Amino acid sequence: MKIKLAKSYGFCFGVKRAIKIAEQTRNSNTLGPLIHNKKEIERLKEEFNVGLVEDIDEIKSGQTVVIRTHGIPKEKLRKLQENKNRIIDATCPFVTKPQQIVEEMSKEGYSIVIFGDINHPEIKGVMSYAKDPVVVLSIEELEKVTLKDRVATVAQTTRKFEEYQKIVNYLMQRCKEVRVFNTICNATFENQDAARELSKEADIMVVIGGKNSSNTKQLYNICKENCSESYLIEDENEIKREWFLGKKLCGITAGASTPDWIIERVIAKIREIKV
Ligand code: SF4
């Protein structure tokens, strides 16, 4: 069986940057997971003493805090400042951008429509910069809300472009003025396009990444559309020998928060399997 890696996979610019910042900072804590990958978070703890704190009240005054790639809500940032914490901002610049846009557009009096998942940390952060934002995942939800005639819209960085377009089309029909900001991240597209291409020729696809990572789940869904035998795993321990029986080409891709060392271990384990 041949093993082929997607042309683009794994860590994106924002995640590489955040990890580098955390490694250089050392002896600190992140508020919420730095990236959506448990194994990498464990490695940062072991090698650089970068811990994970989920509750802001557990952070002691004066401690160093690294802000995660997805960013944090404005109120939490203020609380850290008041608590005299040393704040190291590892928020991805592509996430900081929609935060700045919604803040500015709110000040200018626009209704803010955020296309994204209200429970996702990135969206919780972006929302906090807007005045009374509307957060939706579908037109049906949007139909139920009151909007001004002037609307500004941004999207969660990992959303599908075509779905955002539908939201934008709806807004254009409903409101007099619509300011559209394309805040979807290219890194996600690149990994998705490469996964789509490879999953068309592979007879098994292995998608590596955190099961709570939104972009990894999207990669998995894309692969599944073209290759019914697609599997989402967090590491090599989840691999099952029977998946590979009779297969000729195994495609591999990985989410934007999957480190190379995990991908290498998965490939090594698949190579060990005698199909
Ligand atoms: S996927 Fe894009 S927005 Fe998200 S961390 Fe990576 S570079 Fe930043």
Side-chain angles (χ1 to χ4, degrees):
M1 184 183 69
K2 245 180 88 181
I3 297 173
K4 193 169 172 185
L5 270 159
K7 279 190 192 131
S8 172
Y9 63 92
F11 274 0
C12 57
F13 148 80
V15 166
K16 277 188 197 151
R17 177 178 170 274
I19 288 172
K20 202 166 163 199
I21 291 173
E23 287 179 352
Q24 284 167 349
T25 307
R26 292 176 171 262
N27 309 319
S28 55
N29 283 302
T30 64
L31 182 55
L34 185 71
I35 61 167
H36 271 155
N37 190 292
K38 274 192 300 203
K39 310 272 168 195
E40 183 65 359
I41 285 165
E42 282 163 16
R43 184 191 71 87
L44 286 171
K45 177 71 188 162
E46 275 164 31
E47 294 180 22
F48 297 92
N49 193 27
V50 176
L52 163 61
V53 174
E54 293 281 4
D55 184 352
I56 197 164
D57 294 327
E58 286 173 30
I59 297 173
K60 295 191 186 77
S61 174
Q63 278 186 337
T64 302
V65 180
V66 179
I67 307 295
R68 58 196 299 187
T69 37
H70 297 117
I72 58 169
K74 201 176 177 180
E75 314 78 61
K76 289 195 176 171
L77 194 61
R78 197 174 303 128
K79 196 163 177 185
L80 292 175
Q81 285 161 345
E82 284 165 7
N83 205 24
K84 306 222 174 331
N85 292 112
R86 182 174 163 241
I87 301 167
I88 310 290
D89 192 3
T91 309
C92 175
F94 298 140
V95 174
T96 310
K97 193 77 195 158
Q99 292 176 350
Q100 292 167 341
I101 291 170
V102 298
E103 187 169 40
E104 212 178 299
M105 292 288 107
S106 284
K107 277 187 198 148
E108 290 189 27
Y110 287 80
S111 283
I112 304 296
V113 173
I114 302 171
F115 173 49
D117 177 359
I118 199 163
N119 296 312
H120 193 283
E122 175 192 322
I123 295 304
K124 286 184 184 167
V126 173
M127 282 171 71
S128 69
Y129 286 84
K131 190 170 178 290
D132 305 325
V134 170
V135 183
V136 292
L137 279 171
S138 67
I139 292 174
E140 291 69 40
E141 289 171 79
L142 206 43
E143 278 168 345
K144 294 183 197 135
V145 297
T146 313
L147 295 171
K148 293 179 191 164
D149 268 349
R150 301 166 76 216
V151 172
T153 179
V154 296
Q156 187 173 347
T157 51
T158 45
R159 287 286 136 192
K160 279 191 186 150
F161 186 70
E162 297 74 18
E163 286 173 13
Y164 186 37
Q165 263 182 327
K166 287 184 198 157
I167 298 285
V168 170
N169 284 343
Y170 169 82
L171 289 171
M172 301 270 274
Q173 286 166 36
R174 184 169 153 185
C175 308
K176 288 221 161 40
E177 184 186 346
V178 184
R179 299 282 304 269
V180 181
F181 297 87
N182 181 4
T183 48
I184 296 174
C185 172
N186 279 341
T188 317
F189 289 145
E190 283 161 17
N191 282 5
Q192 287 179 357
D193 289 346
R196 190 172 292 113
E197 195 183 309
L198 183 55
S199 60
K200 283 181 186 159
E201 57 168 319
D203 44 17
I204 174 168
M205 279 299 297
V206 176
V207 182
I208 315 160
K211 289 192 175 139
N212 56 352
S213 152
S214 151
N215 82 80
T216 305
K217 278 190 272 183
Q218 283 197 23
L219 278 182
Y220 169 73
N221 290 336
I222 287 169
C223 292
K224 193 86 184 160
E225 275 169 22
N226 300 310
C227 174
S228 59
E229 296 225 30
S230 296
Y231 299 93
L232 169 55
I233 58 169
E234 293 204 346
D235 62 29
E236 72 280 11
N237 299 316
E238 291 177 55
I239 290 174
K240 294 203 171 71
R241 186 182 180 275
E242 57 267 29
W243 295 346
F244 303 91
L245 294 173
K247 302 294 187 309
K248 291 196 170 59
L249 177 63
C250 170
I252 299 206
T253 184
S257 28
T258 309
D260 283 349
W261 59 268
I262 294 186
I263 300 167
E264 279 156 21
R265 282 186 195 175
V266 168
I267 295 174
K269 179 83 181 274
I270 295 174
R271 285 215 171 101
E272 269 174 26
I273 295 173
K274 302 269 181 293
V275 182

